[in-house]
Amino acid sequence: EEVEAVVRALERLGVGAVVIEDKCGQKRNSFANANDARLAQLDTMAARIQAAARARNSTNVLVVARLEGMVLGESTTDTVARALAYEAAGADMILPHSKAPTAAQIFAFAQGYRGAGGQLPLAAIPTTYDGTTESDLLDQGFSVVIYANQLLRAALDPMAECALDLLQAGSA
């Protein structure tokens, strides 16, 4: 009921996508070393995706299944199996997440997913495998590349310089 209510409210507000992550508990940075981090039960996650897809009044809101298994040390094969279950439950896009320093794990996921019959668009967040180009990701079957925090990171140094200037000047 909660998932359905949230999706309906977000749709009324004009939100274009809802990302449902398969990690349990309070949302934290995926790369934080949280000892209590674990994956949601597969059937629970599939039910959430199904509820989100059912709650929409139109297909203008994408239901994106975000898979955290590889971040938590699960195998690529297990993560592919989850992706296929989320596709069957009604997801519109699959977003496998990885903290590996290269794109090899994400590429293996994409090959495994397509090889197992997965049809949905794939999204990537190349935060840790930042040497990988958009072209590389597109060549491996990804449709969307999300630069999650690069603009914020780029803004930090100028903001720190400005704050220091304000402190030194004692005024704006």
Side-chain angles (χ1 to χ4, degrees), residues 64-65 67 83 87 92-96 106-107 109-111 113-114 118-124 137-138 140-145:
V64 181
L67 294 96
E87 179 175 344
D92 300 306
M93 182 177 286
I94 301 294
L95 194 168
I106 260 340
F107 291 168
F109 170 87
Q111 291 167 1
Y113 177 69
R114 294 292 183 226
Q119 298 293 312
L120 295 179
L122 297 175
L137 290 161
L138 293 172
Q140 290 293 320
F142 288 86
S143 304
V144 175
V145 179

Side-chain angles (χ1 to χ4, degrees), residues 21 23 25-37 66:
E21 182 177 294
K23 195 164 53 174
Q26 189 175 16
K27 174 62 182 145
R28 294 188 185 135
N29 181 313
S30 293
F31 305 135
N33 289 330
N35 294 332
D36 60 340
R66 178 171 165 149

